[in-house]
Amino acid sequence: MQLSRRFLPPMSLLCAFEASARLQSFTAAAAELHLTQSAVSRQIRALEERLGTELFVRERQTVRLSPAGQAYAQEIRAALLRISNATLGFRTNPQGGSLNLAILPTFGTRWLAPRLPQFFSAHPGITINLTTRLSQFDFQLEAVDAGIHFGLPHWPGAELEFLMSETVVPACSPAVYAQHQFAQPQDLLRAPLLHLTSRPEAWRRWLELQGCQVSEAAGMLFDQFATAAQAATAGVGVALLPKFLIARELENGDLVRALPELPELESVERYYLAWPTSRTAYPPLQAFRSWLKTAAQEFTQQHAKA
């Protein structure tokens, strides 16, 4: 879509507005921008004249955003942040471009990060900047090109591409297993259950699938898989964890399956790559999507044979 320059205010006006909106003060904005207070005030007034409405409510010696100004400030701040990040990315890597990717912490460190050298080897001109997000966000308000999503295939305002499924297993330390000698799913309720804030219903759903009717599965809450896995390793309780993310702990014996004879269950929720439609044709994203889909398919095939 071709941009209409008549709807693009000068950058100086937008920067003055963003600083004034963030600081709620023309004087503070002037100090930040190395301008006079009157100069900032004139820039804000010029922007208001362009828009045909007041962005600030002026009361004696103070100013505050109008309702319209609040909405506009949010959009302008996101746009300026994207411009800033694009410029930084270009200066860092002028030959290939950069991709700002939101990752789930444990998935990013345990699965994605070890495979990134393969991507960089195939695409040496592209830089990937990683940021952590535990839940969905609005792509219009974040300077992010794509994100890793775990859940159902639904993200408002985004396109999704399936990556892989996961199998979760109850895991605990060898000492906890020896102490409780779990024989059936109901036995797990004798030990503390470790929950993830991002999956608060996971234990209850898993127990119900095993035929255990529970009104509430009480236990400790953790905000990340890594912390929950560490707590389980230390003997705090039993955690319901994705098998492929704790493969190292299971292999070296720090964790064991609490019910080793129980058939594994695949989660209803799955991993996806999500991105805003406006970035679909962005070359670094296209390259990363193609590589990530192939890497996930190869992993799934290897995992199925194991």
Side-chain angles (χ1 to χ4, degrees):
M1 182 180 67
Q2 184 177 359
L3 292 175
S4 178
R5 296 184 182 278
R6 60 188 288 251
F7 295 122
L8 290 177
M11 184 64 71
S12 59
L13 304 190
L14 296 178
C15 288
F17 169 65
E18 188 282 327
S20 299
R22 173 167 39 83
L23 299 171
Q24 294 288 288
S25 166
F26 292 172
T27 302
E32 180 178 292
L33 298 173
H34 304 291
L35 299 171
T36 63
Q37 189 273 345
S38 60
V40 169
S41 181
R42 287 195 300 272
Q43 288 176 324
I44 299 300
R45 184 62 73 186
L47 182 59
E48 290 175 327
E49 290 174 356
R50 276 176 167 265
L51 298 173
T53 187
E54 290 192 346
L55 297 169
F56 290 90
V57 177
R58 297 158 174 82
E59 297 174 333
R60 297 183 182 179
Q61 300 301 314
T62 64
V63 295
R64 59 182 174 84
L65 284 167
S66 66
Q70 290 179 349
Y72 191 58
Q74 193 174 48
E75 296 284 351
I76 294 303
R77 185 171 298 115
L80 292 177
L81 181 59
R82 183 174 290 279
I83 293 171
S84 175
N85 286 337
T87 303
L88 176 61
F90 183 83
R91 290 183 61 184
T92 302
N93 184 16
Q95 302 304 317
S98 62
L99 178 73
N100 296 318
L101 179 69
I103 59 170
L104 300 169
T106 307
F107 180 89
T109 56
R110 292 292 183 93
W111 191 90
L112 180 61
R115 291 170 171 79
L116 283 179
Q118 301 170 14
F119 174 79
F120 294 135
S121 177
H123 304 278
I126 297 177
T127 298
I128 295 182
N129 305 311
L130 301 178
T131 183
T132 299
R133 293 290 187 278
L134 294 174
S135 59
Q136 292 185 7
F137 54 88
D138 189 342
F139 278 107
Q140 300 302 317
L141 303 179
E142 300 272 358
V144 175
D145 300 305
I148 302 297
H149 168 60
F150 177 81
L152 299 177
H154 176 68
W155 188 321
E159 296 186 40
L160 296 170
E161 181 151 48
F162 169 74
L163 296 177
M164 67 178 76
S165 303
E166 73 167 19
T167 298
V168 293
V169 296
C172 62
S173 68
V176 168
Y177 180 75
Q179 176 187 353
H180 292 280
Q181 291 294 308
F182 306 113
Q184 55 187 357
Q186 192 74 31
D187 296 341
L188 296 177
L189 297 174
R190 301 200 303 259
L193 300 182
L194 311 183
H195 299 261
L196 288 161
T197 54
S198 58
R199 305 184 187 186
E201 296 295 310
W203 262 120
R204 184 184 61 79
R205 289 200 302 261
W206 185 90
L207 287 166
E208 288 180 351
L209 287 172
Q210 305 301 330
C212 303
Q213 297 301 317
V214 293
S215 58
E216 185 176 352
M220 296 178 62
L221 283 171
F222 296 86
D223 66 348
Q224 294 190 22
F225 276 117
T227 313
Q230 187 60 44
T233 300
V236 175
V238 184
L240 191 61
L241 300 168
K243 186 179 176 182
F244 78 95
L245 292 181
I246 56 169
R248 185 169 59 204
E249 287 82 353
L250 291 172
E251 184 177 349
N252 62 28
D254 289 336
L255 287 174
V256 297
R257 291 181 58 183
L259 293 165
E261 303 302 322
L262 193 70
E264 298 175 356
L265 288 178
E266 186 177 290
S267 298
V268 174
E269 299 168 311
R270 293 176 168 85
Y271 289 92
Y272 299 86
L273 179 68
W275 68 92
T277 303
S278 60
R279 304 300 279 172
T280 298
Y282 184 48
L285 176 57
Q286 290 181 324
F288 183 74
R289 278 179 58 196
S290 177
W291 170 83
L292 185 62
K293 186 175 181 179
T294 300
Q297 290 174 340
E298 292 176 350
F299 172 79
T300 300
Q301 293 169 358
Q302 295 170 359
H303 201 60
K305 296 176 183 178

